[in-house]
Amino acid sequence: MLFFIEVVLSGLMAGIMYSLVALGFVLIFKASGIFNFAQGVMALFAALTLVGLMEKFGFPVWLSIIGTIAVMILLAWLIERLMLRQLVNQEPIILFMATIGLAYVLEGMGDILWGSDVKVLDIGIPQGASDWMLDTFDIYIEKLEVFAAATAATLVVILAIFFQKTRIGRALRAVADDHQAALSVGISLHTIWVIVWSVAGIVALVAGIMWGSKSGVQFSLSLIALKALPVLILGGFTSVPGAIIGGMIIGVGEKVAEVYLGPFVGGAIENWFAYMLALAFLLVRPQGLFGEKIIERV
Amino acid sequence: MIYRETGQFKANYQDDQALFPIEQDRYVIFGILFLVFGVVPYLMNEYWLNAILLPFLIYSLAALGLNILTGYCGQLSLGTGAFMAVGAFSIYKLMVAVPDLGFIPLVVLSGLITAAVGTLFGLPSLRIKGFYLAVATLAAQFFLIWLFNKVGWFYNYSASGMINSPPMTVFGFTITGPEGNMTAKYYLVAAIVAVFALAAKNIARGRIGRNWMAIRDMDIAAELIGVRPLIAKLSAFAVSSFYVGMAGALYFAVWLGSAEATEAFDINQSFLVLFMIIIGGLGSVLGSFLGAAFLVILPIMLKNILVDGLGTDSALATHLEFIIVGVLIIGFLIVEPHGLARLWRIAKEKLRLWPFPY
């Protein structure tokens, strides 16, 4: 029983890491209807930039983080200027392919700028097992994962406040609701896109920091985007709570399946189990758990 | 002036329904076929055949398959790599088990097996659409590759997990294995691609193809006028997977010779083929070829220019290649989102009126 709880808890923590990536997807999809495949690479790029600033220029942690945020905002501006603005009114699949192209560009740029070797990212996040949990409940939990969970929670709260209370947040929600109506009341789509991509870039930075501290900053980091996709379809492309809860369901399901089912079929089922789980959900609810109901008219 | 259809009358139904109704088009097609089968094999050396023409032809077949599903029927799929793997592993098992059947029937058979698998993974398309479906097809991608990697039966329990194509002959020429005859390989692949490209063009303009396009343009409306989505969608998945499976079989047996599931058929393969049809043009047979040509030749060209021409070191060149490919793709989508095939169509319109456009 204790072992089961431990498995579930570690699944929950891993799930929150997925949610962090999925969150970036949801933000961009909501605001611009773009399925941003480059989100994972953005996380990698942000983490690379952070490590690069810290190592090559010897900046302290806080300055590097601010620097990286500035880089991500600049990137968002460039993406809007050079890519999105040119592709207005194109079909979703074209925009999707463009983001894959963007992923290539970012990957190449990150490698050229900062080198492609595996880097250690240490910004002072506590590492190792949590002693308190180990002593009181005899359950093994990584401190880093608890920290990641707390960060994710904070991030969601900040985002919620940002979306509900601020002027820009209201504009963002208006755009997500109806592009044309938002345009007609004087909201600039271009500005909103820059803001949304910047926010997604900052979320990517947080995800990059967490994953980077966990397993080093390396190319495989960009593949976590693939891990976040089942989370997305499970939670719905348009729902922030969906991304969080979907992430947890996927994380727990994956870990439990790996531990209890994996040995019978040869292991390493993590790669596809999440997709199958999400697929099973989709067959019952085609719009995901929290997605908006799809209404179609002829 | 040359490309003009004035004076070409369609006097009976047969003329009206011809695959290439304009005479000049027919000459072009015969010209291309003559070039492909009569001229190219004698001009090209082994390197060119192996490095450019074979992969180009094989990827064209795969792109054709995906174009049937995505371009004609509108169902986005990211599982092409896995379906190619199904084709490759089926032909491997068949080549080992029943080599007497002959190579070409085995290719078709492995295509049929892939069609069955593809139909199975196409079932969710009846319920979900768009990007949800795209992600669902990723399930096929990861699950199938995992299966081929984990279950020893598929690679006959070889220690490395690799599959190697045993030598087989077609009309007395060795096609597969290390002793394979390059020119024979080229002829075989070109013949298969030519036959099935023609078939695709025919299917696409017939009843089934029109059903697909109706589903693509608006599935609810199509359903209302009597197109059955179940049949249309699943047939698109089946035909598409058939093509992709054959491409996978040729890719492994004729071109690579040996393959490992996780390396040769990973998700990048799926994206590559998807790029081909987007850049070439969705819903166009010609586009599949143009896109495949572009994306097969581009990396080789870039490598040649960067490494040999400019003397960049190879690690930097790989990264630069990434950036250039990415920028080109984005640029392409901005300039002509309907692909190279669209450019050709515009050129055709212009040519019709040339040199007096008014």
Side-chain angles (χ1 to χ4, degrees):
Chain A
M1 194 58 215
L2 204 62
F3 178 65
F4 179 73
I5 294 175
E6 199 172 298
V7 170
V8 169
L9 272 178
S10 82
L12 270 181
M13 298 300 166
I16 286 174
M17 305 281 261
Y18 297 149
S19 308
L20 276 176
V21 184
L23 209 58
F25 276 101
V26 170
L27 285 175
I28 290 181
F29 191 83
K30 255 176 102 95
S32 50
I34 296 173
F35 186 70
N36 176 27
F37 191 78
Q39 187 66 31
V41 185
M42 271 164 74
L44 170 69
F45 185 78
L48 276 176
T49 313
L50 184 63
V51 175
L53 285 178
M54 277 164 63
E55 278 180 1
K56 289 207 173 153
F57 297 100
F59 288 169
V61 174
W62 60 270
L63 194 62
S64 310
I65 290 181
I66 292 176
T68 313
I69 289 176
V71 170
M72 295 315 281
I73 291 175
L74 179 72
L75 188 71
W77 186 77
L78 281 176
I79 290 171
E80 200 276 329
R81 267 289 144 130
L82 301 176
M83 197 173 106
L84 298 179
R85 191 167 280 201
Q86 320 291 333
L87 286 169
V88 170
N89 237 343
Q90 292 297 348
E91 294 188 27
I93 183 176
I94 304 285
L95 288 160
F96 169 61
M97 296 312 285
T99 61
I100 300 182
L102 177 69
Y104 283 157
V105 175
L106 281 182
E107 214 176 291
M109 252 168 43
D111 282 349
I112 288 181
L113 285 177
W114 311 113
S116 53
D117 44 332
V118 181
K119 295 178 190 56
V120 185
L121 177 63
D122 184 15
I123 59 164
I125 297 175
Q127 300 269 1
S130 160
D131 303 325
W132 183 78
M133 286 295 276
L134 205 59
D135 292 341
T136 359
F137 300 107
D138 204 18
I139 291 174
Y140 179 88
I141 284 190
E142 289 266 345
K143 272 183 195 160
L144 171 70
E145 287 177 334
V146 179
F147 187 83
T151 317
T154 326
L155 199 64
V156 170
V157 171
I158 294 175
L159 281 178
I161 294 173
F162 175 65
F163 269 101
Q164 300 295 335
K165 302 289 177 195
T166 63
R167 209 180 132 79
I168 301 172
R170 269 201 298 278
L172 280 176
R173 278 190 296 145
V175 170
D177 210 37
D178 190 334
H179 281 195
Q180 282 176 351
L183 266 176
S184 66
V185 295
I187 296 167
S188 158
L189 267 188
H190 297 303
T191 322
I192 293 298
W193 282 346
V194 175
I195 293 171
V196 160
W197 279 75
S198 308
V199 174
I202 293 166
V203 173
L205 170 65
V206 175
I209 290 176
M210 294 306 159
W211 282 93
S213 318
K214 194 179 175 190
S215 49
V217 179
Q218 52 185 317
F219 168 72
S220 67
L221 203 63
S222 61
L223 297 178
I224 54 170
L226 294 175
K227 285 273 184 186
L229 292 182
V231 174
L232 276 180
I233 53 172
L234 187 61
F237 279 141
T238 48
S239 161
V240 173
I244 304 291
I245 293 172
M248 289 185 193
I249 294 175
I250 293 284
V252 172
E254 204 175 82
K255 275 278 175 348
V256 170
E258 180 72 50
V259 170
Y260 291 97
L261 193 66
F264 299 106
V265 290
I269 62 173
E270 273 183 337
N271 276 336
W272 56 268
F273 183 79
Y275 284 93
M276 288 296 181
L277 193 67
L279 197 56
F281 263 96
L282 273 188
L283 291 176
V284 185
R285 273 184 73 85
Q287 71 274 36
L289 272 182
F290 297 93
E292 289 152 22
K293 186 139 185 63
I294 305 164
I295 301 167
E296 287 184 276
R297 295 187 190 86
V298 177
Chain B
M1 199 142 56
I2 311 161
Y3 191 80
R4 185 165 294 176
E5 41 193 309
T6 327
Q8 299 181 26
F9 300 113
K10 290 166 191 143
N12 50 31
Y13 282 119
Q14 221 168 0
D15 286 351
D16 193 39
Q17 292 176 344
L19 194 53
F20 298 103
I22 302 173
E23 209 177 352
Q24 286 89 336
D25 279 352
R26 285 197 287 275
Y27 292 140
V28 170
I29 291 293
F30 285 127
I32 289 175
L33 285 179
F34 175 71
L35 270 181
V36 166
F37 290 99
V39 179
V40 167
Y42 302 101
L43 286 181
M44 299 286 184
N45 58 18
E46 291 230 325
Y47 168 76
W48 276 80
L49 284 179
N50 192 32
I52 294 180
L53 282 172
L54 268 185
F56 158 62
L57 286 169
I58 291 170
Y59 274 118
S60 304
L61 195 61
L64 211 54
L66 186 63
N67 219 338
I68 286 173
L69 186 63
T70 306
Y72 285 106
C73 196
Q75 311 294 310
L76 189 54
S77 164
L78 296 176
T80 322
F83 293 136
M84 282 174 81
V86 174
F89 277 82
S90 338
I91 202 167
Y92 171 68
K93 290 302 281 188
L94 288 170
M95 270 158 66
V96 174
V98 281
D100 300 336
L101 271 178
F103 186 69
I104 297 175
L106 288 188
V107 172
V108 176
L109 210 57
S110 49
L112 289 175
I113 294 174
T114 318
V117 177
T119 316
L120 189 69
F121 279 98
L123 283 174
S125 71
L126 302 171
R127 188 105 172 94
I128 51 184
K129 297 170 188 164
F131 286 122
Y132 286 98
L133 178 66
V135 177
T137 55
L138 274 178
Q141 171 76 36
F142 289 114
F143 176 70
L144 288 170
I145 296 300
W146 172 84
L147 200 66
F148 292 137
N149 197 26
K150 280 288 172 210
V151 181
W153 184 80
F154 287 109
Y155 48 87
N156 282 358
Y157 305 100
S158 73
S160 58
M162 303 266 284
I163 49 174
N164 291 297
S165 61
M168 284 194 81
T169 55
V170 173
F171 301 125
F173 294 104
T174 317
I175 291 293
T176 59
E179 308 286 294
N181 180 338
M182 228 1 128
T183 319
K185 282 183 185 185
Y186 169 76
Y187 267 111
L188 176 83
V189 175
I192 291 179
V193 171
V195 168
F196 283 100
L198 201 66
K201 198 143 177 73
N202 257 311
I203 298 173
R205 67 183 188 139
R207 183 192 166 86
I208 308 175
R210 281 159 197 246
N211 282 353
W212 291 342
M213 286 186 254
I215 291 280
R216 170 194 67 189
D217 291 341
M218 186 169 220
D219 51 351
I220 297 178
E223 205 177 336
L224 287 175
I225 59 166
V227 176
R228 280 182 292 177
L230 176 85
I231 309 268
K233 283 182 179 172
L234 289 189
S235 66
F237 265 99
V239 176
S240 153
S241 312
F242 176 71
Y243 277 74
V244 172
M246 283 197 309
L250 293 173
Y251 181 71
F252 151 70
V254 177
W255 192 51
L256 285 181
S258 67
E260 207 253 320
T262 46
E263 271 174 31
F265 303 104
D266 68 346
I267 182 150
N268 288 322
Q269 202 69 239
S270 306
F271 283 134
L272 183 66
V273 180
L274 193 58
F275 272 135
M276 284 174 185
I277 65 167
I278 301 261
I279 288 187
L282 286 172
S284 152
V285 172
L286 175 72
S288 314
F289 284 94
L290 295 178
F294 187 75
L295 281 181
V296 166
I297 294 171
L298 182 71
I300 298 175
M301 219 173 64
L302 279 179
K303 189 151 274 162
N304 278 342
I305 293 173
L306 288 174
V307 177
D308 304 336
L310 301 176
T312 331
D313 73 292
S314 59
L316 183 63
T318 324
H319 299 147
L320 272 180
E321 204 185 301
F322 260 90
I323 295 185
I324 295 172
V325 170
V327 168
L328 275 178
I329 285 168
I330 297 175
F332 233 103
L333 293 174
I334 290 171
V335 177
E336 187 47 89
H338 298 287
L340 292 165
R342 164 87 180 196
L343 290 179
W344 167 237
R345 225 165 286 156
I346 295 172
K348 246 163 89 169
E349 284 303 314
K350 293 242 158 91
L351 271 177
R352 265 184 177 165
L353 300 174
W354 187 84
F356 304 113
Y358 300 107

